[in-house]
Amino acid sequence: MNTTPQPDPQDRPARLTVGVVGAGRVGPALAASLQLAGHRPVAVSAVSEASRRRAEQLLPDVPVVPPAEVLQRSELVLLTVPDDALPELVSGLADTGAVRPGQLLVHTSGRYGARVLDPALRAGALPLALHPAMTFTGTPVDVQRLAGCSFGVTAPEELRLAAEALVIEMGGEPEWISEENRPLYHASLALGANHLVTLVAQSLELLRTAGVGAPDRMLGPLLGAALDNALRSGDAALTGPVARGDAGTVAAHVTELRRHAPGAVAGYLAMARATADRALAHGLLKPELAEDLLGVLADEAAGADGTGSTGSTPGEDR
């Protein structure tokens, strides 16, 4: 449930016409949530067939038009394009005169703060950076997931209340991020969420290889409990062979990974080393056990890099 105090009515933005430039997974969902709050989506730009389908599903009857026309029709414009495309898009829109004075220009990039919108600011726009800390599917379920979702908010101080009010209207929780901390903020989210998908996908594949018929059913409760424990307790939730200092078990893991999934070895070793460092620093891994464990990890890493001869080759027992 959204427990953030609601802003005073005079601080809430008036009902606005909303446009979306870039109908990826994020833009249509945010526009749909703003529509539920009483704003009116009026235009969307979409290039690919997939983006057109998303726009039609989440914003039915909203016309698909070129980006410049989206800005012409809209008081609030969501710029929801990939991070690397954002600076050029903003400069292009400003240079062609598409940006209007007093227009709210919102981007959803986690990497950038409000300064990337400086070309539009010079044209009179009101710049806001509102990044939802959520993974999107491009389906209506995304609108529901915004309830209670944290948003990384960066904007000029005079626009702070307007930015936070928009987030609250979308059902989110505003979290103020300074301009200089945006890259670190985004790296933190990518480390936790994006890499989690890779780890889970690798685990699913390995379980199938091991003969598990329903790896998703096996992993669901385990990963749910691990995530809950980590959020509640941080490093105190560390468990498993690395945290216990079971060097022999870790070596056996690497042998099996080299045999069945050599592409996963480097990731396993990197995460095992990071886990060992944290477990040792927090007193969970006993120093007398850490020496053997770190030795195994170093030897296996040398073997993986081709700089040593201690690592096993696929199909070879250690």
Side-chain angles (χ1 to χ4, degrees):
M1 185 173 68
N2 188 343
T3 58
T4 301
Q6 297 295 308
D8 187 275
Q10 67 181 358
D11 295 327
R12 295 171 68 90
R15 302 305 90 183
L16 302 168
T17 53
V18 179
V20 180
V21 176
R25 297 182 180 183
V26 179
L30 296 188
S33 67
L34 287 169
Q35 186 174 35
L36 291 175
H39 300 288
R40 185 164 62 92
V42 293
V44 59
S45 71
V47 177
S48 69
E49 186 58 35
S51 63
R52 287 176 176 270
R53 286 196 301 268
R54 277 191 292 268
E56 175 60 30
Q57 184 179 28
L58 287 165
L59 302 172
D61 302 322
V62 174
V64 177
V65 299
E69 192 170 342
V70 172
L71 269 70
Q72 182 181 0
R73 298 185 182 198
S74 309
E75 297 163 313
L76 166 63
V77 181
L78 301 174
L79 303 179
T80 53
V81 297
D83 290 358
D84 288 352
L86 182 61
E88 184 177 356
L89 172 66
V90 174
S91 296
L93 291 172
D95 290 345
T96 58
V99 179
R100 303 199 314 272
Q103 192 169 44
L104 282 165
L105 214 57
V106 177
H107 80 70
T108 59
S109 165
R111 170 185 172 188
Y112 292 107
R115 287 194 195 123
V116 72
L117 298 173
D118 277 353
L121 174 64
R122 290 190 289 271
L126 307 178
L128 308 176
L130 307 180
H131 175 253
M134 177 54 62
T135 182
F136 288 79
T137 65
T139 66
V141 72
D142 295 333
V143 180
Q144 303 170 25
R145 286 179 173 174
L146 288 173
C149 166
S150 291
F151 279 66
V153 178
T154 306
E157 186 62 32
E158 61 272 19
L159 295 176
R160 179 166 180 160
L161 287 177
E164 293 178 341
L166 282 171
V167 170
I168 291 170
E169 286 193 321
M170 287 185 282
E173 304 277 357
E175 184 72 39
W176 194 256
I177 308 295
S178 66
E179 184 79 33
E180 60 270 20
N181 282 337
R182 290 291 289 208
L184 178 60
Y185 152 79
H186 195 223
S188 303
L189 296 179
L191 184 66
N194 301 153
H195 297 172
L196 176 63
V197 175
T198 300
L199 289 172
V200 173
Q202 286 184 333
S203 183
L204 289 168
E205 290 173 356
L206 289 167
L207 285 171
R208 291 189 189 98
T209 301
V212 175
D216 53 342
R217 190 165 64 238
M218 176 176 284
L219 279 181
L222 174 63
L223 296 183
L227 177 59
D228 184 65
N229 290 342
L231 292 175
R232 291 174 183 271
S233 305
D235 288 307
L238 285 171
T239 186
V242 172
R244 291 192 298 267
D246 291 339
T249 298
V250 170
H253 286 178
V254 177
T255 296
E256 289 305 301
L257 290 176
R258 289 194 196 283
R259 179 177 294 121
H260 297 289
V265 171
Y268 179 95
L269 291 172
M271 291 304 299
R273 180 57 197 252
T275 299
D277 289 344
R278 299 188 74 88
L280 187 59
H282 287 79
L284 300 174
L285 175 59
K286 296 177 181 178
E288 60 270 24
L289 297 176
E291 184 175 357
D292 286 345
L293 175 67
L294 294 176
V296 166
L297 293 176
D299 288 346
E300 295 291 359
D305 292 340
T307 57
S309 59
T310 57
S312 302
T313 56
E316 175 188 2
D317 292 331
R318 293 187 77 242

